[in-house]
Amino acid sequence: MESSQSVGAWRELGSHFGTVVVLAGGVLVGAVNIYLAASLLPTVVADIGGERLYAWNMTVFLVAQVVATVLVNRVLSRRGNIVSYLIGFGVFATGSALCAMSPVMPVLLVGRGAQGFGAGLLTGLGFALIRSVLPRHLWARGSALISAMFGLGNFVGPALGGFFAQFGSWRPAFVVLALASGAMAAFVPRVLSRGSRAEAEAAPVPIGSLLLVVGAAGAVSIAGLLSNQAVMAAFIAVALALIVAFFRTEKCRGRVRVLPHPTYQAGSALRWIYLTMAFLASGVAVETFLPLFSQRLGGLPPVAAGFFGAALSLGWSASQVVSSSARRERTLRWLQVAGPGLLAAGLAVLALLQQRDASLLGAITWLPVLLLGGTGIGLAMPHLSVAAMASTADEQEGEKAAAAIATVLTMSTAFGAALAGLLVNVGGPSMVNSARWLLFGFAAVSALGVPTALRANHLTRSAEVRREDEVEPTAESDAPLD
């Protein structure tokens, strides 16, 4: 007989309204900021200069975000729930205010770094606290709602940024972010408990692992800017070597790790769960170039092209609200495998549809394909998040596994952005070739999530069978003798 999970109703999640608003709102302000800043940057450069440092805006933000997500457990263990959130919102608001006042680009980059650090803390805290502030049967709903904030940010960010850019006033946009962050911070003490982890021992910072991750992402980013193929290949080789060194360093260390200890235990499904999430999340990087392809190849106006760029996130956000209602174990396992397969199929079909001077009807056909690809992310992501949270019975390791979800997603975004630039550069100067290299490349990356999801399901099921076998002899020994 197939087992099923208890899944609470959305109405029940509403009974935790204040808590959910803080958790989801923290993720949302960071997600909105990514796309808002991207849409404002041309206006910013026209005002204060710094075109040569244009690309560093996203790099600085993402690196700071990765570092902050790694520090989430340390901040929680030392400061507790409320103070940790106040630090996150405070740093983000300070960074936003600094961006609003920036007279030159280097000052803006400092503000972007502070924004990234605050956003990383808020994203990590959102996933970390699901496990401790919500009952077990609401984890899937909570994960779906928080993950949906990334997709919602893809709509609100460009809309808000475009509104201010239309009038040439970019500074008020950052002021709005600072005020929104301050308002959320005022809400925190009213809805969150201080938590029981304030007296826990704080884990050291894994500086070596962090440097390897940042170095690998930087090497891929540099490779994407080069035209000499030999030098490009050398930087890619360096990136791969740094990634290998990262995993070896993580595996050999004691408790100073970026990812929790069960990730490296033999027979643990957690590493495969994280890999599947990484392959899914990295696919969103294609959104950066979809508006460009929609305008250059499909002849769409900027407003319509921007919507095409957000279609992947729309499919992601909408589908996971529905997907989070699934409860049968077999269905959950199927969704985790089908998700990356659907994303890979959508990107591959979209690559085949790319052509120069596409007709309006041809361009419109891209939209359902993008929605379908995004649906693949939404089908799998909530259940992968719950699987990561439930991967260990140890309470502390479980909380670390939950917090590490944000680290995995952030690292995947950073590497995905770097890889996207590399693939577009390889396909150039032809726009059609660039589009196909990008889409086929990420279709292949997404497809890797199918075998990793299958492996995660197999190990999870094996662990469940072992636990059942261990319980049965105990039950028999406790039975009364006739």
Side-chain angles (χ1 to χ4, degrees):
M1 181 177 178
E2 184 183 355
S3 62
S4 62
Q5 292 184 356
S6 173
V7 179
W10 286 107
R11 181 178 299 178
E12 184 178 358
L13 185 65
S15 65
H16 302 270
F17 178 77
T19 300
V20 170
V21 166
V22 170
L23 269 59
V27 176
L28 180 60
V29 293
V32 167
N33 177 69
I34 292 175
Y35 300 105
L36 178 143
S39 60
L40 284 176
L41 273 177
T43 305
V44 173
V45 170
D47 185 19
I48 65 175
E51 186 174 358
R52 295 180 62 184
L53 298 174
Y54 190 100
W56 280 94
N57 275 272
M58 184 59 71
T59 302
V60 168
F61 181 90
L62 290 175
V63 169
Q65 193 174 29
V66 170
V67 172
T69 57
V70 174
L71 299 178
V72 165
N73 276 303
R74 181 180 178 85
V75 175
L76 269 176
S77 63
R78 287 195 166 187
R79 303 298 180 184
N81 298 346
I82 293 178
V83 176
S84 296
Y85 256 104
L86 292 178
I87 292 173
F89 281 120
V91 173
F92 183 83
T94 301
S96 299
L98 186 58
C99 288
M101 297 183 295
S102 297
V104 291
M105 184 60 74
V107 177
L108 184 75
L109 291 178
V110 175
R112 292 287 288 152
Q115 280 188 319
F117 193 87
L121 280 180
L122 294 171
T123 302
L125 289 168
F127 283 102
L129 293 188
I130 287 177
R131 198 178 191 277
S132 59
V133 301
L134 295 179
R136 171 70 174 79
H137 62 279
L138 288 178
W139 287 358
R141 298 289 194 190
S143 298
L145 184 62
I146 289 179
S147 297
M149 294 302 102
F150 292 104
L152 182 60
N154 201 359
F155 285 96
V156 178
L160 187 61
F163 173 79
F164 285 102
Q166 184 72 30
F167 299 99
S169 302
W170 58 273
R171 297 182 190 274
F174 288 107
V175 173
V176 169
L177 285 178
L179 293 176
S181 184
M184 292 294 299
F187 198 49
V188 168
R190 301 181 182 182
V191 299
L192 289 183
S193 63
R194 292 187 177 276
S196 58
R197 301 173 59 182
E199 301 301 324
E201 182 183 359
V205 180
I207 297 177
S209 295
L210 277 175
L211 291 176
L212 290 171
V213 169
V214 172
V220 177
S221 297
I222 294 173
L225 300 175
L226 300 172
S227 56
N228 187 297
Q229 293 186 351
V231 180
M232 182 189 299
F235 272 95
I236 294 174
V238 169
L240 293 175
L242 291 174
I243 292 172
V244 171
F246 167 79
F247 285 111
R248 288 188 174 179
T249 301
E250 287 275 287
K251 191 173 182 179
C252 294
R253 286 183 181 272
R255 62 190 183 91
V256 187
R257 292 186 174 92
V258 170
L259 301 177
H261 176 61
T263 309
Y264 305 100
Q265 288 180 320
S268 172
L270 189 56
R271 76 183 73 177
W272 304 104
I273 294 170
Y274 284 154
L275 280 172
T276 307
M277 296 177 75
F279 292 139
L280 278 171
S282 62
V284 183
V286 302
E287 288 182 328
T288 305
F289 293 95
L290 287 177
L292 176 65
F293 297 150
S294 299
Q295 292 183 57
R296 298 285 182 85
L297 300 178
L300 297 177
V303 175
F307 181 75
F308 271 60
L312 202 68
S313 288
L314 174 61
W316 173 7
S317 301
S319 61
Q320 66 187 0
V321 172
V322 178
S323 170
S324 63
S325 299
R327 63 182 67 208
R328 290 182 176 275
E329 292 288 349
R330 181 180 299 174
T331 303
L332 300 181
R333 292 194 294 268
W334 181 85
L335 289 173
Q336 292 173 34
V337 175
L342 195 58
L343 175 60
L347 295 178
V349 171
L350 188 62
L352 294 173
L353 293 175
Q354 300 302 302
Q355 56 180 320
R356 187 181 302 277
D357 299 325
S359 65
L360 178 60
L361 180 60
I364 290 176
T365 60
W366 300 355
L367 189 58
V369 176
L370 282 167
L371 292 171
L372 188 66
T375 297
I377 303 175
L379 290 179
M381 195 64 78
H383 308 297
L384 290 167
S385 298
V386 173
M389 295 177 197
S391 60
T392 175
D394 184 276
E395 187 68 21
Q396 286 192 348
E397 289 298 333
E399 291 175 348
K400 292 178 182 177
I405 293 172
T407 304
V408 171
L409 294 178
T410 306
M411 289 170 58
S412 303
T413 302
F415 277 101
L419 180 60
L422 172 63
L423 291 173
V424 169
N425 186 30
V426 169
S430 167
M431 187 64 64
V432 174
N433 287 340
S434 291
R436 288 177 177 170
W437 268 93
L438 176 72
L439 295 169
F440 276 131
F442 275 97
V445 171
S446 303
L448 293 175
V450 173
T452 58
L454 288 170
R455 182 61 177 165
N457 286 339
H458 172 72
L459 292 174
T460 300
R461 183 57 187 156
S462 298
E464 291 172 353
V465 171
R466 285 196 301 271
R467 284 195 294 266
E468 291 172 0
D469 291 340
E470 291 172 358
V471 170
E472 287 179 3
T474 303
E476 292 176 359
S477 63
D478 292 340
L481 298 175
D482 294 334

